[in-house]
Amino acid sequence: MQKRRRFKQTQPLEMRLSAEAQRLREQAQMLPHGRLRDAVERKAIQVEAAYEVSELLRSPG
C-alpha cells in the first residue's frame, strides 16, 4: 500500500484564494475579448466565491 504524499501549506487558505483570484483577474485583463477571457473571468469569480464562503465559515456566529 502506498503512503499518501502530504505537505503542510505555508499560507492560509484565504491568502491562497485571494492571490489566485488576483492572478486570474490580471491574466484576464491581458487576454483579448473572447471565450478564453470569459472562462478566466468565470474562474476568478468562482475563486472569489470560495474565498467568501471560507470567510463565512470561519466567522464566529
Side-chain angles (χ1 to χ4, degrees):
M1 186 172 183
Q2 289 183 337
K3 284 184 104 176
R4 284 178 45 179
R5 296 180 188 188
R6 296 182 184 209
F7 57 93
K8 272 198 148 183
Q9 295 291 341
T10 57
Q11 296 178 333
L13 176 63
E14 289 78 18
M15 287 181 68
R16 293 191 317 265
L17 288 173
S18 177
E20 179 68 7
Q22 180 65 30
R23 185 188 69 78
L24 288 169
R25 289 281 181 194
E26 290 170 359
Q27 181 182 355
Q29 288 180 348
M30 288 188 275
L31 293 170
H33 292 281
R35 288 183 180 171
L36 182 58
R37 181 177 181 157
D38 292 343
V40 172
E41 287 176 344
R42 271 195 308 274
K43 183 67 175 175
I45 291 169
Q46 290 173 347
V47 171
E48 288 169 348
Y51 173 80
E52 291 174 8
V53 168
S54 177
E55 285 290 315
L56 284 173
L57 293 174
R58 286 180 46 117
S59 68

